Amino acid sequence: MEPVNVGIIGLGNVGLGTLEILWENWEQNTQKLGFPLWLRAICSRTLEGKALPAGMERVIRTTDWREVVTNPEIDIVCELVGGTGVAREIIEAAIANGKSVVTANKELMALHGPEIWRKAAQANVNLAMEASVAGGIPIHTVLREGISGDRLSALFGILNGTSNFILTEIEKRGADFGEVLAEAQRLGYAEADPTADIDGFDARSKLAILVALMFGKSVAPSEIYTEGIRRITPFDFEYARQLGYTIRLLCGARRTPEGLLLSVRPALLPRSTILAGVSGAYNAIWVLGDYGQDTFYYGRGAGPKPTGVAVVSDLMRVAREIRAGSHERVSPFAHAALEPTHPLPLDSMKTAYYLRFRVKDRPGIIASLSRVLADKGISLDAVLQVPCDTKDNLPFVITVEPSEESAIREAMAAMATLEFMVEPPLALPMEKGL
Amino acid sequence: MEPVNVGIIGLGNVGLGTLEILWENWEQNTQKLGFPLWLRAICSRTLEGKALPAGMERVIRTTDWREVVTNPEIDIVCELVGGTGVAREIIEAAIANGKSVVTANKELMALHGPEIWRKAAQANVNLAMEASVAGGIPIHTVLREGISGDRLSALFGILNGTSNFILTEIEKRGADFGEVLAEAQRLGYAEADPTADIDGFDARSKLAILVALMFGKSVAPSEIYTEGIRRITPFDFEYARQLGYTIRLLCGARRTPEGLLLSVRPALLPRSTILAGVSGAYNAIWVLGDYGQDTFYYGRGAGPKPTGVAVVSDLMRVAREIRAGSHERVSPFAHAALEPTHPLPLDSMKTAYYLRFRVKDRPGIIASLSRVLADKGISLDAVLQVPCDTKDNLPFVITVEPSEESAIREAMAAMATLEFMVEPPLALPMEKGL
């Protein structure tokens, strides 16, 4: 039977993983599809020195992506360059040339996905992006089709493997953030510029994509409340443990009658919840629906091969659409149309909080902190202090009853100015309901 | 836009759950699909007294399924009768009349799925069966499309909610099997005839379907090694706990160079594995692939609404295929063709074992048991005994190093004849690798 032909542009880690799976596993793919899915062209700026599988003589090699997107033999262009610059040019040129597109590009899809999809739909070609969120976990497929009959109400996810790896290492070894980050960089788990991962920007792009899939709403990633993990210390894990919790960078999306509450921030999770058990570079997603209630998805969040599986599975899906002559059966964002929206401010959300302080010890500290909390109408729940011999920089914790976010923020700002504070206090939500 | 029309046959729990979701959630469904998905007919032998949503005056009601499958307005027949008798007639008549079919019928699909699918393909209609395995977990979608690019090597699942509920209750309360079963029956978690659930037959049908989806092989459910949970006691959970394990009814499928190793049986799972945390009526599936490595899926295994979500999601998928004019884009079994196969005998599989005995206490028991084990080439690992005051019926446990199944079985048979045995010994595999 007539093959469907693929051109891969971009041979970084994910590109090489995709290429290897496509090349090695062609026999099984053919058995599943009923027709061959061929790798027809590869493109990279630096083809020299790439370790490619043997026997690829008939595959076109080029350093110019235009040769791929204009090649009439190519049916699907697989964009694995990343970023929002040339990647966008590649995808739009491919669409303009009547090619379907498979991409792993979360940043581009979170920022411009709806526009790009509109162009694809107009050109009667397909767009697929399973690999853009949570590597080896097929969460797009699940939300787009698997549980499409549910009315979803919330999602909680661990969507950044690098920060989860760092948090897990701080927890396991009691090492400081800086030390663990340096090691993660040495091991290749974190990039030289780690900002996107540890400050939550990578996770918020992924959350924006999942929100589109869940609710049919497009949200600008920059409008999602985002806080990173730089301030988490071994002390925080010790206090969390005493409270029966652990700490993870949690992505949350909640539907309310007024709109969507979205956040990416470190949070305390009860040890008993299945999300708390997610360690190292794994990702996990917990989805709540009005009918199906809770489902949970877990797997490797990154890596050439797990992400390559997502890309190849997309290629197979798009190849089937092409063979069936059906170009736009299911929108990549699950809904037939996306509606732009702004997330609600978190101000009136009520959450229990863990407040961690570092102070110069002297009498009356608890009294003055309690006064600030009382002024803002916040009820104190517990005061914890682990033994520590530095009177100059003493960490301790206050937990408070569910309180409005705005009150918590005002209290934190007022407390930050107290003269015994060594650094501004840290506030982490306690997700008791998970 | 022209609607796609559905007829539901069978209004038991799942039928009513499906009807409610389809009826209540039509607006969101239309937004996702871009066209309406209408409930056009319902059929049940006992329509009188069913609590139906208000406003269903225009929906055809009948007690004769033939009126649904022959109605030219109906596009998709939703078979929720269950069993292998009339359900098969309904499905085959629907196909013969050019209707696509959505079913939740695991027993029928495990036994005759490949033949029924062949008929559907010949008639150019679709067949979907997400709801046949693991209720609210979209495991069909995941295996059929989400991770279709992987080469899968193994799956371990908890696929029967009733037996998982019973095991969890024995564990939590230290109550006996019979007592917990009676309570589960009172609560409606177990049926009056509980055989299908507690003896593993329900789970093995589901495993047969998953094996087809994973490997493209059709296996007769009766050829899968199956053992139920009737013999598990509170003592077993206590011993398991001491060893750092718990006990679950585990479905296992492993690909080996020689063929497939398949089993449904109670097993010891390390407490640290994510599967061990699956309690109550939940289901969970752990999938291993050569490329994507491990992914894990968890959710409610049954219940009208979680299962209804699976049915409605299938209806949406099939409705899209109908609107796209593409009848057979992805086979319900993931592969373009299924190959019949026989699972390997488990004989040469090497597993560590937990052996539990109940004996009339007297000197020399360990000596004679050790002799039997030594004769079969089995290495003893540990001997455990929890305090117990009944000398006449003393439970104790021996764990053994990984040994061939055939040697374990021979040893168990030889031990069963020893005169101090109160009942035949119980052997449970210890799944250390999970």
Side-chain angles (χ1 to χ4, degrees):
Chain A
M1 234 183 130
E2 191 83 346
V4 169
N5 289 313
V6 176
I8 295 179
I9 302 176
L11 291 179
N13 284 335
V14 176
L16 288 173
T18 301
L19 180 148
E20 186 181 327
I21 298 171
L22 211 49
W23 193 252
E24 264 184 31
N25 208 26
W26 67 271
E27 204 173 336
Q28 179 196 283
N29 290 346
T30 309
Q31 278 166 12
K32 285 190 175 171
L33 294 168
F35 58 84
L37 181 66
W38 286 135
L39 179 62
R40 193 72 193 87
I42 54 177
C43 167
S44 167
R45 278 180 311 180
T46 52
L47 267 175
E48 300 302 315
K50 297 274 179 200
L52 301 179
M56 288 187 50
E57 293 72 23
R58 290 186 47 213
V59 174
I60 299 163
R61 299 170 193 217
T62 172
T63 55
D64 179 6
W65 59 264
R66 288 174 189 80
E67 284 185 27
V68 179
V69 301
T70 56
N71 184 328
E73 280 187 88
I74 303 272
D75 302 293
I76 311 174
V77 169
C78 185
E79 181 278 305
L80 301 174
V81 170
T84 57
V86 69
R88 186 174 186 175
E89 280 184 70
I90 292 169
I91 290 176
E92 297 193 339
I95 290 170
N97 280 283
K99 318 285 189 210
S100 285
V101 171
V102 170
T103 175
N105 195 323
K106 64 194 155 264
E107 208 188 340
L108 182 63
M109 287 300 116
L111 272 176
H112 305 295
E115 299 153 59
I116 293 173
W117 168 43
R118 225 169 291 128
K119 290 185 184 169
Q122 277 160 11
N124 246 359
V125 298
N126 239 288
L127 176 66
M129 50 171 187
E130 178 67 76
S132 64
V133 181
I137 309 175
I139 190 67
H140 282 239
T141 310
V142 165
L143 296 176
R144 213 179 49 235
E145 302 203 55
I147 57 173
S148 60
D150 207 347
R151 188 163 58 204
L152 300 178
S153 55
L155 173 149
F156 299 95
I158 294 173
L159 299 178
N160 183 270
T162 303
S163 55
N164 206 56
F165 172 82
I166 291 173
L167 290 175
T168 310
E169 289 297 302
I170 296 175
E171 178 168 33
K172 267 201 318 215
R173 295 162 32 197
D176 279 334
F177 176 81
E179 189 185 315
V180 174
L181 172 61
E183 198 191 311
Q185 286 172 318
R186 224 166 29 242
L187 293 169
Y189 290 140
E191 305 200 28
D193 176 1
T195 306
D197 290 321
I198 65 180
D199 292 328
F201 303 128
D202 171 87
R204 83 176 184 190
S205 289
K206 294 169 178 168
L207 185 61
I209 294 174
L210 294 183
V211 164
L213 278 151
M214 290 176 73
F215 302 118
K217 309 279 186 193
S218 78
V219 167
S222 59
E223 293 192 25
I224 297 175
Y225 179 82
T226 302
E227 218 179 285
I229 62 166
R230 288 183 198 259
R231 295 194 60 199
I232 307 299
T233 67
F235 279 119
D236 295 310
F237 278 104
E238 177 53 27
Y239 283 114
R241 199 190 54 73
Q242 286 189 19
L243 292 162
Y245 286 73
T246 186
I247 302 169
R248 294 289 183 263
L249 182 63
L250 189 71
C251 299
R254 294 167 165 96
R255 188 194 75 207
T256 77
E258 293 74 37
L260 299 178
L261 289 166
L262 308 178
S263 60
V264 175
R265 54 181 170 177
L268 267 69
L269 307 184
R271 288 211 157 266
S272 58
T273 178
I274 195 167
L275 274 173
V278 178
S279 325
Y282 279 90
N283 277 195
I285 299 156
W286 198 30
V287 180
L288 292 171
D290 290 350
Y291 301 112
Q293 300 179 60
D294 52 329
T295 54
F296 177 81
Y297 309 92
Y298 168 93
R300 295 189 188 245
K305 290 189 192 170
T307 310
V309 166
V311 176
V312 174
S313 301
D314 264 355
L315 289 170
M316 291 170 74
R317 183 167 74 83
V318 171
R320 282 173 162 135
E321 305 278 18
I322 291 172
R323 268 294 150 272
S326 134
H327 287 302
E328 203 212 339
R329 203 182 47 93
V330 190
S331 127
F333 292 100
H335 286 68
L338 285 185
E339 194 184 304
T341 193
H342 302 283
L344 295 175
L346 303 185
D347 297 20
S348 60
M349 199 173 153
K350 278 196 143 185
T351 316
Y353 258 92
Y354 161 102
L355 310 178
R356 192 256 292 151
F357 307 94
R358 302 192 84 138
V359 297
K360 288 193 197 78
D361 199 17
R362 66 154 177 76
I365 288 181
I366 300 289
S368 45
L369 295 177
S370 320
R371 204 171 315 121
V372 176
L373 292 173
D375 283 352
K376 302 295 175 191
I378 297 168
S379 298
L380 195 146
D381 184 25
V383 179
L384 283 93
Q385 196 186 318
V386 293
C388 180
D389 50 9
T390 54
K391 291 276 173 191
D392 281 0
N393 187 350
L394 186 73
F396 77 95
V397 162
I398 295 179
T399 61
V400 301
E401 304 271 336
S403 313
E404 290 200 350
E405 292 264 338
S406 54
I408 295 284
R409 282 186 210 173
E410 287 167 22
M412 297 299 282
M415 287 167 166
T417 64
L418 296 171
E419 40 77 36
F420 53 79
M421 286 288 168
V422 176
E423 61 174 46
L426 174 74
L428 302 177
M430 298 174 78
E431 296 287 357
K432 298 194 178 199
L434 292 195
Chain B
M1 232 184 132
E2 190 82 347
V4 169
N5 290 313
V6 176
I8 296 179
I9 302 176
L11 290 180
N13 284 334
V14 175
L16 288 173
T18 301
L19 180 149
E20 186 180 327
I21 299 172
L22 210 50
W23 192 252
E24 266 185 29
N25 208 27
W26 67 271
E27 202 172 337
Q28 179 196 283
N29 290 345
T30 309
Q31 279 165 13
K32 285 190 176 172
L33 294 168
F35 58 84
L37 180 65
W38 286 136
L39 179 61
R40 193 72 194 87
I42 54 175
C43 167
S44 167
R45 277 180 311 179
T46 51
L47 266 175
E48 301 300 315
K50 297 276 179 200
L52 301 179
M56 286 186 52
E57 291 73 22
R58 288 186 48 215
V59 175
I60 300 163
R61 299 170 193 217
T62 171
T63 54
D64 179 5
W65 59 264
R66 285 174 192 82
E67 285 185 26
V68 179
V69 301
T70 56
N71 184 328
E73 281 187 89
I74 304 273
D75 301 295
I76 311 174
V77 169
C78 186
E79 182 278 305
L80 301 174
V81 170
T84 57
V86 68
R88 186 175 186 175
E89 278 184 71
I90 292 169
I91 291 176
E92 297 193 339
I95 292 171
N97 281 283
K99 319 286 188 209
S100 286
V101 171
V102 170
T103 176
N105 195 323
K106 64 194 156 263
E107 207 187 339
L108 181 62
M109 287 300 115
L111 272 176
H112 304 296
E115 299 153 58
I116 293 173
W117 169 42
R118 224 169 292 128
K119 289 185 185 169
Q122 277 160 10
N124 246 1
V125 297
N126 240 288
L127 176 67
M129 51 169 186
E130 177 68 77
S132 64
V133 181
I137 310 173
I139 189 66
H140 281 240
T141 311
V142 165
L143 296 176
R144 213 180 47 235
E145 303 202 53
I147 57 173
S148 60
D150 206 347
R151 189 164 57 203
L152 301 178
S153 55
L155 172 149
F156 299 95
I158 294 174
L159 299 177
N160 182 270
T162 304
S163 54
N164 206 56
F165 172 82
I166 291 173
L167 290 175
T168 310
E169 290 296 302
I170 296 175
E171 178 168 33
K172 267 201 318 213
R173 296 161 33 197
D176 279 335
F177 176 81
E179 190 184 316
V180 174
L181 172 61
E183 198 190 312
Q185 287 171 317
R186 222 163 32 241
L187 293 169
Y189 290 141
E191 304 200 28
D193 176 1
T195 306
D197 290 321
I198 65 181
D199 292 329
F201 303 129
D202 171 87
R204 83 176 183 189
S205 289
K206 294 169 177 168
L207 186 62
I209 293 174
L210 294 182
V211 163
L213 278 152
M214 291 176 71
F215 302 118
K217 307 280 186 193
S218 77
V219 167
S222 59
E223 293 191 26
I224 297 175
Y225 179 83
T226 301
E227 217 178 288
I229 61 167
R230 289 183 198 257
R231 295 196 60 199
I232 307 299
T233 67
F235 279 120
D236 295 309
F237 279 103
E238 176 53 28
Y239 283 114
R241 199 190 54 74
Q242 286 189 18
L243 292 161
Y245 286 73
T246 187
I247 303 170
R248 293 289 182 264
L249 181 62
L250 188 71
C251 299
R254 295 167 164 96
R255 188 194 76 208
T256 76
E258 292 76 37
L260 300 178
L261 288 166
L262 307 179
S263 60
V264 175
R265 54 182 171 178
L268 266 70
L269 307 184
R271 289 210 156 269
S272 58
T273 178
I274 195 166
L275 273 174
V278 178
S279 326
Y282 279 89
N283 277 194
I285 300 156
W286 197 30
V287 180
L288 292 170
D290 290 351
Y291 301 112
Q293 300 178 60
D294 52 331
T295 53
F296 177 81
Y297 310 92
Y298 169 92
R300 295 191 187 243
K305 291 188 191 172
T307 311
V309 167
V311 175
V312 174
S313 301
D314 264 354
L315 288 170
M316 291 171 74
R317 183 167 75 84
V318 172
R320 281 173 164 135
E321 305 279 17
I322 290 173
R323 269 292 150 272
S326 134
H327 287 301
E328 204 212 339
R329 204 183 46 94
V330 190
S331 126
F333 293 99
H335 286 67
L338 285 185
E339 195 183 303
T341 193
H342 302 282
L344 295 175
L346 303 185
D347 297 20
S348 59
M349 201 173 152
K350 278 195 144 185
T351 315
Y353 259 92
Y354 161 103
L355 310 178
R356 192 256 293 152
F357 305 94
R358 301 192 86 138
V359 297
K360 288 192 197 77
D361 199 18
R362 65 152 179 78
I365 288 181
I366 301 290
S368 45
L369 295 176
S370 320
R371 205 171 313 120
V372 176
L373 292 172
D375 282 353
K376 304 294 174 191
I378 298 168
S379 297
L380 195 146
D381 185 23
V383 178
L384 283 94
Q385 197 187 320
V386 293
C388 181
D389 51 9
T390 54
K391 291 277 172 190
D392 280 0
N393 187 351
L394 186 73
F396 77 96
V397 161
I398 295 178
T399 61
V400 301
E401 304 272 337
S403 314
E404 292 200 349
E405 292 264 340
S406 54
I408 294 285
R409 284 185 209 173
E410 286 167 21
M412 296 300 281
M415 287 166 166
T417 63
L418 296 171
E419 41 77 34
F420 52 79
M421 286 289 170
V422 176
E423 60 174 47
L426 174 74
L428 302 177
M430 298 174 78
E431 295 288 356
K432 299 194 179 200
L434 291 196

Short mmCIF file of all heavy atoms in Angstrom, two decimals, chain A residues 9 42-48 60-68:
data_model
loop_
_atom_site.label_atom_id
_atom_site.label_comp_id
_atom_site.label_asym_id
_atom_site.label_seq_id
_atom_site.Cartn_x
_atom_site.Cartn_y
_atom_site.Cartn_z
N ILE A 9 12.25 17.87 10.92
CA ILE A 9 13.11 19.05 10.94
C ILE A 9 13.53 19.31 12.39
O ILE A 9 12.68 19.52 13.26
CB ILE A 9 12.38 20.28 10.37
CG1 ILE A 9 11.93 19.98 8.92
CG2 ILE A 9 13.28 21.51 10.41
CD1 ILE A 9 11.11 21.08 8.29
N ILE A 42 15.31 14.17 6.52
CA ILE A 42 15.68 14.75 7.80
C ILE A 42 16.44 16.05 7.54
O ILE A 42 17.15 16.19 6.54
CB ILE A 42 16.55 13.81 8.67
CG1 ILE A 42 17.79 13.34 7.89
CG2 ILE A 42 15.74 12.62 9.16
CD1 ILE A 42 18.73 12.47 8.72
N CYS A 43 16.25 16.98 8.46
CA CYS A 43 16.86 18.29 8.29
C CYS A 43 17.39 18.78 9.63
O CYS A 43 16.71 18.72 10.65
CB CYS A 43 15.81 19.27 7.76
SG CYS A 43 16.34 21.00 7.85
N SER A 44 18.64 19.22 9.60
CA SER A 44 19.21 19.82 10.80
C SER A 44 20.29 20.79 10.35
O SER A 44 20.93 20.58 9.32
CB SER A 44 19.82 18.73 11.69
OG SER A 44 20.63 19.29 12.68
N ARG A 45 20.48 21.87 11.11
CA ARG A 45 21.55 22.80 10.74
C ARG A 45 22.91 22.14 10.85
O ARG A 45 23.87 22.55 10.22
CB ARG A 45 21.50 24.02 11.65
CG ARG A 45 20.46 25.04 11.21
CD ARG A 45 20.45 26.21 12.16
NE ARG A 45 20.38 25.71 13.54
CZ ARG A 45 20.37 26.49 14.62
NH1 ARG A 45 20.42 27.79 14.50
NH2 ARG A 45 20.28 25.96 15.83
N THR A 46 23.00 21.11 11.71
CA THR A 46 24.29 20.47 11.96
C THR A 46 24.17 18.97 11.76
O THR A 46 24.22 18.20 12.71
CB THR A 46 24.74 20.74 13.41
OG1 THR A 46 23.64 20.37 14.28
CG2 THR A 46 25.09 22.19 13.63
N LEU A 47 24.00 18.59 10.47
CA LEU A 47 23.86 17.15 10.19
C LEU A 47 25.15 16.39 10.42
O LEU A 47 25.14 15.21 10.79
CB LEU A 47 23.41 16.96 8.74
CG LEU A 47 21.90 16.85 8.53
CD1 LEU A 47 21.60 16.80 7.05
CD2 LEU A 47 21.36 15.62 9.23
N GLU A 48 26.27 17.07 10.18
CA GLU A 48 27.57 16.41 10.34
C GLU A 48 27.70 15.91 11.78
O GLU A 48 27.40 16.64 12.72
CB GLU A 48 28.72 17.40 10.09
CG GLU A 48 28.73 18.01 8.71
CD GLU A 48 28.82 16.97 7.60
OE1 GLU A 48 29.65 16.05 7.73
OE2 GLU A 48 28.05 17.07 6.62
N ILE A 60 16.39 11.54 2.43
CA ILE A 60 16.95 12.83 2.03
C ILE A 60 17.52 13.55 3.25
O ILE A 60 16.89 13.59 4.29
CB ILE A 60 15.82 13.73 1.42
CG1 ILE A 60 15.23 13.05 0.18
CG2 ILE A 60 16.35 15.13 1.10
CD1 ILE A 60 13.88 13.64 -0.24
N ARG A 61 18.75 14.06 3.13
CA ARG A 61 19.34 14.83 4.23
C ARG A 61 19.59 16.24 3.76
O ARG A 61 20.19 16.45 2.70
CB ARG A 61 20.69 14.22 4.63
CG ARG A 61 20.54 12.82 5.10
CD ARG A 61 21.91 12.17 5.25
NE ARG A 61 21.73 10.74 5.41
CZ ARG A 61 22.46 9.98 6.20
NH1 ARG A 61 23.45 10.52 6.89
NH2 ARG A 61 22.23 8.69 6.30
N THR A 62 19.20 17.20 4.58
CA THR A 62 19.40 18.58 4.16
C THR A 62 19.61 19.46 5.38
O THR A 62 19.21 19.10 6.49
CB THR A 62 18.19 19.09 3.33
OG1 THR A 62 18.36 20.49 3.11
CG2 THR A 62 16.88 18.87 4.05
N THR A 63 20.25 20.59 5.16
CA THR A 63 20.37 21.56 6.25
C THR A 63 19.39 22.72 6.04
O THR A 63 19.34 23.63 6.85
CB THR A 63 21.81 22.14 6.32
OG1 THR A 63 22.13 22.68 5.03
CG2 THR A 63 22.82 21.08 6.69
N ASP A 64 18.60 22.65 4.96
CA ASP A 64 17.66 23.73 4.66
C ASP A 64 16.21 23.23 4.81
O ASP A 64 15.74 22.43 4.00
CB ASP A 64 17.91 24.22 3.22
CG ASP A 64 16.96 25.33 2.82
OD1 ASP A 64 16.18 25.81 3.68
OD2 ASP A 64 16.99 25.72 1.63
N TRP A 65 15.55 23.74 5.85
CA TRP A 65 14.19 23.23 6.11
C TRP A 65 13.23 23.48 4.96
O TRP A 65 12.25 22.76 4.79
CB TRP A 65 13.63 23.79 7.42
CG TRP A 65 13.52 25.30 7.52
CD1 TRP A 65 14.42 26.14 8.09
CD2 TRP A 65 12.44 26.12 7.06
NE1 TRP A 65 13.98 27.43 8.02
CE2 TRP A 65 12.76 27.46 7.39
CE3 TRP A 65 11.23 25.86 6.40
CZ2 TRP A 65 11.92 28.53 7.09
CZ3 TRP A 65 10.39 26.93 6.10
CH2 TRP A 65 10.74 28.25 6.44
N ARG A 66 13.51 24.50 4.12
CA ARG A 66 12.61 24.78 3.00
C ARG A 66 12.54 23.60 2.03
O ARG A 66 11.51 23.36 1.41
CB ARG A 66 13.05 26.05 2.27
CG ARG A 66 12.75 27.30 3.10
CD ARG A 66 13.28 28.57 2.51
NE ARG A 66 13.15 29.67 3.46
CZ ARG A 66 13.99 29.89 4.47
NH1 ARG A 66 15.05 29.09 4.65
NH2 ARG A 66 13.79 30.89 5.31
N GLU A 67 13.65 22.86 1.94
CA GLU A 67 13.64 21.68 1.05
C GLU A 67 12.65 20.62 1.53
O GLU A 67 12.13 19.84 0.73
CB GLU A 67 15.04 21.06 0.96
CG GLU A 67 15.97 21.85 0.09
CD GLU A 67 17.31 21.13 -0.08
OE1 GLU A 67 17.36 19.89 0.03
OE2 GLU A 67 18.32 21.84 -0.30
N VAL A 68 12.44 20.58 2.84
CA VAL A 68 11.49 19.59 3.38
C VAL A 68 10.05 20.06 3.18
O VAL A 68 9.21 19.32 2.65
CB VAL A 68 11.77 19.31 4.87
CG1 VAL A 68 10.76 18.30 5.43
CG2 VAL A 68 13.19 18.80 5.05
#
